[in-house]
Amino acid sequence: MEYSNLDVKKDRGLGWIVINRPDKLNALNSDTVKELYTAFMSFRDDPVVKAVLLTGAGEKAFIAGADIGELSQLDFSAGRDYVLEGQELTKLIENFNKPVIAAINGFALGGGTEIALACHVRIASDNAKMGQPEVKLGLIPGFGGTQRLARLVGKGIAMELILSGKIIGAQEALQMGLVNHVVAHSELSRFCEDLAQEIVDNGPIALECAIKAINEGLDKPLAEGLLLEAELFGKCCATEDSKEGTKAFLEKRKPDFQGK
Ligand code: COA
């Protein structure tokens, strides 16, 4: 598949999706949203790819938001359709069957923060700048920001960020739990790759079940979340991977997971 706005590659079991519009600070026009959807779908069913890393091309930006030129043209129904398409992408990422890591290498504004919020793990370089500045354009976040930001960092902090539209640095993002780690810009890819490799050494079905349990459980009352956990635990127990993982521990060797 040829992409106009992405650089997509596979390397040692990891799928890399690099948004490649550096002259526009990797702003998300609708073609890029469509291509991202296609790229994630291609990795979803690719047995070679065990985890996905998402980043932006160039030194300055992860994603500087939705394309403001396109936003300026929207009326009520086009605006609603536009964000519904973006939300399909963020739902695909959030519920992806393999771990997805955002390597936030600079500006992650508006849709950039929202795409990062949908990823399972967020790692920021020390030059990252994040925020939801949509209100400065007379808009609100539309790719899930009003929903996922509050769920991740709490309602009070989300209200402040979204109502002020202010841009925060990497350390502040770390402090509020918006990102998991901050690393030197030059170390970002290596750090994310090492973390991804550490993750994909684990049982792939267990990873998929853990993502599902956490995502779906958070939207349920605790008792229902625990039932879901029990169902998924049972599902894992019925896999060859769990037999292999437990056997390997008892035999003091590394497990050889087959994803079965
Ligand atoms: N949509 C469309 N184009 C964008 C963009 C966006 N969200 N963000 C940046 N660009 C474009 C700029 O228009 C500029 O294009 P040009 O060279 O053709 O004029 C290019 O990317 C570089 O951006 P520039 O503003 O010159 O870089 P900067 O370093 O001075 O400023 C930002 C960087 C991120 C502070 C600034 O680009 C910005 O505020 N962008 C919009 C962020 C935003 O509001 N995002 C949320 C949208 S919902």
Side-chain angles (χ1 to χ4, degrees):
M1 166 84 192
E2 283 293 307
Y3 296 96
S4 308
N5 303 308
L6 305 180
D7 182 13
V8 177
K9 61 191 177 208
K10 292 185 255 184
D11 182 30
R12 286 168 293 154
L14 304 180
W16 278 92
I17 301 177
V18 183
I19 297 140
N20 192 14
R21 298 180 78 212
D23 53 325
K24 296 290 175 194
L25 302 184
N26 305 318
L28 289 181
N29 58 9
S30 49
D31 285 348
T32 309
V33 171
K34 286 187 178 67
E35 288 192 358
L36 278 169
Y37 196 93
T38 305
F40 271 99
M41 287 301 284
S42 76
F43 282 159
R44 192 183 69 168
D45 302 323
D46 186 335
V48 171
V49 172
K50 309 288 185 207
V52 178
L53 293 108
L54 178 66
T55 194
E59 294 298 307
K60 274 180 79 173
F62 174 69
I63 301 168
D67 190 304
I68 296 173
E70 288 186 358
L71 294 180
S72 70
Q73 304 299 316
L74 302 174
D75 61 11
F76 172 81
S77 77
R80 188 187 48 195
D81 291 351
Y82 181 87
V83 300
L84 284 174
E85 191 174 23
Q87 289 176 4
E88 284 306 311
L89 172 64
T90 56
K91 283 192 283 183
L92 175 67
I93 297 172
E94 181 168 48
N95 298 313
F96 210 60
N97 59 346
K98 302 163 189 184
V100 183
I101 298 177
I104 304 167
N105 60 317
F107 288 112
L109 303 177
T113 285
E114 291 173 296
I115 298 274
L117 282 168
C119 295
H120 302 132
V121 179
R122 285 155 294 283
I123 311 297
S125 70
D126 50 13
N127 74 336
K129 298 234 178 316
M130 303 183 73
Q132 300 282 174
E134 289 87 348
V135 288
K136 292 184 187 293
L137 304 169
L139 294 166
I140 62 168
F143 289 4
T146 61
Q147 305 305 304
R148 292 194 182 93
L149 187 61
R151 283 168 168 77
L152 185 66
V153 302
K155 181 176 166 183
I157 301 282
M159 280 284 186
E160 183 182 337
L161 280 179
I162 290 173
L163 298 184
S164 68
K166 71 179 169 187
I167 310 296
I168 58 167
Q171 285 301 335
E172 201 177 339
L174 178 66
Q175 218 172 16
M176 62 178 62
L178 178 52
V179 300
N180 295 25
H181 300 277
V182 175
V183 301
H185 189 64
S186 58
E187 297 294 315
L188 182 66
S189 295
R190 170 57 58 85
F191 186 95
C192 291
E193 260 171 8
D194 288 351
L195 178 61
Q197 289 297 351
E198 187 181 343
I199 290 173
V200 301
D201 279 348
N202 301 314
I205 298 172
L207 294 174
E208 184 177 358
C209 287
I211 291 168
K212 189 176 166 74
I214 294 169
N215 277 343
E216 292 184 19
L218 265 180
D219 290 331
K220 294 181 189 298
L222 181 63
E224 282 180 36
L226 290 170
L227 274 178
L228 172 67
E229 184 182 76
E231 286 294 320
L232 291 166
F233 187 90
K235 179 177 167 180
C236 289
C237 289
T239 63
E240 288 174 25
D241 279 357
S242 72
K243 303 295 172 254
E244 165 62 10
T246 49
K247 193 160 171 266
F249 176 85
L250 296 172
E251 292 172 357
K252 301 189 189 304
R253 62 171 173 83
K254 274 191 76 175
D256 179 19
F257 292 119
Q258 298 298 321
K260 290 182 184 153

